[in-house]
């Protein structure tokens, strides 16, 4: 009997070592060569400190295109910082940023994010941009903390995908602390379809995707704040086209799911002439309206 158990224990042990050892080796490779996201994958535009209240608005490229940061910081009755990352990521990256304590020093957190970012995700978003800029050990470790079974994921393959797009680099601060956004400066200072508000409207690029929210999503959003902080949702505008009017009816149900979260507005439609290259990017004309809307919401809130 002992011989029998000894014989089967060796292959079982080998299987265990392979299932644990290989992922661990992949994580080690990430740790030594790709510890953090690339510099600039997250941007933080800080306000001059003049008020007692400190607010951070979190978003993606919708925030980048839709809001005149300087105007908000000048006219809002609070110090408003803007933190944004690529909307091609999912909520696990927002969770990562929160766990990095990037929001701990604020009184209020406003989520001005694409609708999909409010959906709780427990895995990385394996896209070209992710491998190029975001994929790293620190992010992977954070994902595993929230979903321990991912320790058995093929992190070697993940490492190999990252290595196709960028060379190894030393750990460094990946947040670009800046007072300007060069992309938007370029769009605004040159004669572009963004600044002239005459981008051709292609309907297929502006149809929003239906999103269904659950109680897990509510728990996720609530987890992004401390007991002393307040968190709010400010919905980004949707192009006023027939397809989106149908989707809007479904999005209104979000209020019942996120009933314990204060919403600064309802999902709403905006004239399609005010949009740029996709459904949550406004052009300069739309930006002026949405900036005024954000200032009004923040001042009313405070």
């Amino acid at each position: 009997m002992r011989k029998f158990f000894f014989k089967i224990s060796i292959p079982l042990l080998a299987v265990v070592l392979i299932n644990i050892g290989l992922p661990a080796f992949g994580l080690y490779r990430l740790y030594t060569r790709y510890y953090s996201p690339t510099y600039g994958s997250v941007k933080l535009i800080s306000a001059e400190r003049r008020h007692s209240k400190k607010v951070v608005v979190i978003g993606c490229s919708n925030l980048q295109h839709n809001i005149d940061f300087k105007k908000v910081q000048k006219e809002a009755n609070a110090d408003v910082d803007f933190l944004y990352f690529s909307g091609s990521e999912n909520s696990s990256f927002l969770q990562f940023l929160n766990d990095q304590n990037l929001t701990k020093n604020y009184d209020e957190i406003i989520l001005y994010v694409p609708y999909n970012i409010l959906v709780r995700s427990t895995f990385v978003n394996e896209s070209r941009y992710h491998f190029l800029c975001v994929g790293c050990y620190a992010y992977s470790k954070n994902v595993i903390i929230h979903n321990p079974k991912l320790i058995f994921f093929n992190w070697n393959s993940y490492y190999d995908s990252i290595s196709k797009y960028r060379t190894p680099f030393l750990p460094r601060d990946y947040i670009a602390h800046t007072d300007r956004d060069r992309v938007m400066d370029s769009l605004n200072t040159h004669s572009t379809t963004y600044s002239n508000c005459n981008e051709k409207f292609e309907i297929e690029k502006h149809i929003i995707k239906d999103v269904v929210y659950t109680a897990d999503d509510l728990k996720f959003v609530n987890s992004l704040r401390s007991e002393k902080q307040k968190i709010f949702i400010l919905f980004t505008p949707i192009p006023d086209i027939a397809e989106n009017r149908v989707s809007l009816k479904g999005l209104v149900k979000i209020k019942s799911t996120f009933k314990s979260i204060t919403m600064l507005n309802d999902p709403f439609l905006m004239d399609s002439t005010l949009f740029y290259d996709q459904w949550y990017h406004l052009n300069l004309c739309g930006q002026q309206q949405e900036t005024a809307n954000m200032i009004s919401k923040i001042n009313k809130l405070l």
Side-chain angles (χ1 to χ4, degrees):
M1 184 64 71
R2 288 183 179 179
K3 289 183 178 180
F4 172 74
F5 283 115
F6 180 75
K7 288 181 180 180
I8 66 171
S9 65
I10 293 177
L12 285 175
L13 180 61
V15 170
V16 170
L17 290 175
I18 290 173
N19 287 335
I20 295 178
L22 287 179
F25 180 61
L27 289 170
Y28 173 75
R29 295 168 79 196
L30 287 170
Y31 177 83
T32 56
R33 298 197 171 193
Y34 302 104
Y35 185 88
S36 58
T38 60
Y39 175 76
S41 55
V42 178
K43 292 185 173 67
L44 177 64
I45 296 184
S46 301
E48 295 180 8
R49 300 304 176 202
R50 298 176 289 117
H51 303 278
S52 59
K53 282 286 186 180
K54 295 180 177 60
V55 178
V56 61
V57 181
I58 302 175
C60 300
S61 57
N62 63 318
L63 181 60
Q64 180 185 28
H65 286 78
N66 295 6
I67 302 298
D68 182 337
F69 301 138
K70 291 302 178 185
K71 188 174 180 63
V72 174
Q73 292 170 338
K74 181 180 179 181
E75 299 184 14
N77 295 326
D79 291 325
V80 184
D81 290 356
F82 296 93
L83 180 72
Y84 57 104
F85 57 95
S86 172
S88 66
E89 296 305 307
N90 57 39
S91 64
S92 66
F93 190 69
L94 177 55
Q95 182 78 67
F96 167 68
L97 297 180
N98 178 75
D99 293 347
Q100 294 285 297
N101 293 321
L102 297 183
T103 64
K104 69 175 182 178
N105 295 323
Y106 297 94
D107 302 298
E108 274 92 18
I109 300 170
I110 298 177
L111 299 179
Y112 184 77
V113 294
Y115 293 93
N116 66 292
I117 301 293
L118 296 173
V119 177
R120 179 178 179 267
S121 178
T122 57
F123 191 53
V124 296
N125 182 29
E126 296 183 279
S127 65
R128 182 181 181 278
Y129 175 86
H130 177 88
F131 295 133
L132 182 65
C133 298
V134 176
C136 64
Y137 170 78
Y139 182 17
S140 302
K141 176 185 174 183
N142 203 71
V143 167
I144 293 171
I145 289 173
H146 289 278
N147 189 9
K149 66 182 180 181
L150 287 176
I151 187 68
F152 300 107
F153 177 69
N154 190 344
W155 295 108
N156 279 292
S157 176
Y158 181 74
Y159 170 91
D160 292 339
S161 296
I162 293 173
S163 65
K164 289 179 182 179
Y165 293 101
R166 65 184 199 261
T167 57
F169 60 92
L170 296 174
R172 63 173 299 187
D173 186 4
Y174 53 90
I175 303 170
H177 298 264
T178 179
D179 62 348
R180 305 296 311 179
D181 185 295
R182 292 182 180 179
V183 172
M184 300 313 298
D185 282 349
S186 177
L187 289 176
N188 280 312
T189 56
H190 298 87
S191 179
T192 64
T193 54
Y194 178 87
S195 61
N196 295 328
C197 307
N198 60 358
E199 174 80 8
K200 182 181 178 182
F201 188 85
E202 299 181 21
I203 290 180
E204 60 274 11
K205 291 183 178 181
H206 292 267
I207 300 173
I208 66 171
K209 296 180 180 179
D210 292 331
V211 182
V212 177
Y213 300 101
T214 69
D216 280 346
D217 305 326
L218 172 62
K219 291 179 182 178
F220 162 69
V221 172
N222 270 315
S223 74
L224 300 175
R225 66 177 180 87
S226 67
E227 291 184 4
K228 295 182 179 180
Q229 290 175 312
K230 295 180 180 179
I231 194 164
F232 306 90
I233 294 174
L234 181 60
F235 292 109
T236 187
I238 301 168
D240 188 1
I241 56 177
E243 293 85 349
N244 290 346
R245 292 182 205 123
V246 174
S247 297
L248 185 67
K249 294 178 181 178
L251 285 169
V252 171
K253 295 179 181 178
I254 191 175
K255 297 179 71 174
S256 61
T257 303
F258 291 89
K259 54 188 175 183
S260 63
I261 304 292
T262 301
M263 300 183 187
L264 301 182
N265 62 352
D266 293 330
F268 68 104
L269 300 170
M270 186 178 279
D271 193 294
S272 60
T273 61
L274 298 173
F275 285 83
Y276 182 43
D277 58 348
Q278 53 179 285
W279 77 262
Y280 58 88
H281 290 176
L282 296 172
N283 57 32
L284 181 60
C285 300
Q287 184 199 76
Q288 292 168 350
Q289 290 190 29
E290 186 66 356
T291 298
N293 176 58
M294 178 174 285
I295 294 169
S296 173
K297 296 296 183 184
I298 291 176
N299 287 343
K300 185 177 180 180
L301 173 66
L302 300 175

